[in-house]
Amino acid sequence: MELFYRKYGEAGPPLIIVHGLYGSGDNWISIARELSGDFEVYVVDQRNHGQSPHSSVHDYPAMRDDLQEFMDHQGIKRAVLIGHSMGGKSIMTFAMSWPERVQSLVSVDIAPKAYHDLALNSHIAANHANMIDAMLELDMAAFDGREEIDMALRQKIGSDRVRSFLLKNVRRDKHGAFGWRINLQALRDNLYGIMDGIGVDPIIAEGGITGFPALFVSGANSDYIAPEDHQLIRSLFPVADFVTIPGAGHWVHAEQPVLLVKNIKYFLDVRPLVK
């Protein structure tokens, strides 16, 4: 699948940013611009998101292959990979298949484990099934404005921040009617696989992946990477480093962008961002 992308910067090694569930490359433009002085930054839209094509298939092998195809089309032999949430699992799956094509890996607030029970056991994490169902239930063509859509979603999605993030996916068609830019039905049909682990056991049995440095970034107010997950992560990436960003939940790039960029630059051994 040919992914939509934006590019920032012309100097330095290639760096690819892969967004998470319900997101798009647009959410990472400010981060990309901050990194573009030291890297040739590509920000992609994953399948069924943003301006990339839709498909009934939405799993990590497919997203891994999309990334390989993208790199091949761009002539990128090896790249720094940054992935948030679902995007973090996409780049980990890619690294498990083609570690020789990874310069460094940065996973933002996601571990290679299954997350089926997180919404049931956490007062912070989102219940994705409920959220997607709430969006699917709306008759989008019946609304005259985004405020009306927001009010309708408020009944089942109480967080103003989450609704604001989801509403970035609202668009008008050529007739002026509202609709969703993301492929909600495909995401709902494949949600179990999206929330599942990524099959790390064979790689761990071989000693993990040590050919490149890896950084796992956690939001201090997020439950997505627990202290007990560090052992699993280090089994897959034995040389992994960990950092926790204060004042951030799951959407670290939106809540603490300056600290995130500073830590990424420090990890990649270039001049940290000073602000």
Side-chain angles (χ1 to χ4, degrees):
M1 177 178 290
E2 187 171 350
L3 301 180
F4 177 83
Y5 74 97
R6 291 184 170 87
K7 182 182 177 183
Y8 301 88
E10 300 293 338
L15 183 153
I16 303 171
I17 300 176
V18 186
H19 65 82
L21 187 61
Y22 317 121
S24 71
D26 289 353
N27 308 138
W28 286 83
I29 288 175
S30 63
I31 304 290
R33 286 175 173 158
E34 293 286 6
L35 295 171
S36 64
D38 300 295
F39 299 93
E40 190 176 62
V41 183
Y42 298 83
V43 189
V44 301
D45 289 350
Q46 295 208 83
R47 61 172 53 213
N48 293 316
H49 290 74
Q51 298 185 57
S52 284
H54 287 188
S55 170
S56 60
V57 177
H58 194 97
D59 56 29
Y60 292 109
M63 289 184 277
R64 171 202 64 194
D65 293 347
D66 290 344
L67 184 55
Q68 182 206 28
E69 181 179 340
F70 174 78
M71 291 176 66
D72 289 347
H73 282 175
Q74 298 300 321
I76 300 172
K77 294 182 178 179
R78 199 175 185 205
V80 176
L81 301 180
I82 299 175
H84 171 246
S85 196
M86 180 182 71
K89 284 188 174 181
S90 295
I91 66 171
M92 282 187 267
T93 306
F94 180 92
M96 289 163 55
S97 296
W98 301 290
E100 71 280 0
R101 303 195 68 175
V102 182
Q103 183 74 38
S104 300
L105 182 145
V106 180
S107 177
V108 182
D109 213 52
I110 200 75
K113 67 176 184 179
Y115 283 87
H116 301 298
D117 297 330
L118 183 62
L120 302 178
N121 300 324
S122 169
H123 67 284
I124 299 172
N127 187 316
H128 293 287
N130 289 350
M131 286 169 52
I132 296 175
D133 287 344
M135 290 186 279
L136 281 170
E137 288 171 3
L138 298 183
D139 179 6
M140 296 293 285
F143 293 106
D144 294 322
R146 292 172 184 267
E147 296 79 6
E148 293 181 9
I149 301 171
D150 183 46
M151 289 298 296
L153 286 176
R154 186 188 298 268
Q155 300 175 29
K156 294 188 177 179
I157 304 174
S159 168
D160 293 342
R161 177 182 289 276
V162 171
R163 289 198 316 279
S164 177
F165 177 66
L166 296 176
L167 287 169
K168 294 180 184 295
N169 290 291
V170 172
R171 67 175 182 183
R172 289 186 184 271
D173 63 20
K174 62 183 180 180
H175 304 295
F178 283 114
W180 293 106
R181 185 167 62 170
I182 49 178
N183 187 350
L184 285 172
Q185 192 59 60
L187 298 180
R188 186 65 177 91
D189 292 343
N190 293 279
L191 186 59
Y192 187 90
I194 295 170
M195 303 303 292
D196 208 359
I198 55 174
V200 299
D201 289 347
I203 305 297
I204 291 175
E206 295 176 359
I209 304 170
T210 58
F212 53 82
L215 176 67
F216 283 75
V217 181
S218 303
N221 302 327
S222 172
D223 290 342
Y224 275 75
I225 300 181
E228 56 267 28
D229 296 329
H230 289 199
Q231 182 176 351
L232 171 63
I233 291 168
R234 280 237 169 95
S235 296
L236 183 60
F237 300 105
V239 296
D241 290 325
F242 300 91
V243 65
T244 300
I245 304 295
H250 185 54
W251 285 283
V252 182
H253 56 295
E255 296 168 307
Q256 290 286 8
V258 173
L259 282 178
L260 177 60
V261 170
K262 184 174 182 178
N263 278 276
I264 289 173
K265 285 196 169 191
Y266 184 81
F267 169 71
L268 297 175
D269 198 27
V270 295
R271 178 183 54 81
L273 180 67
V274 177
K275 282 196 175 182

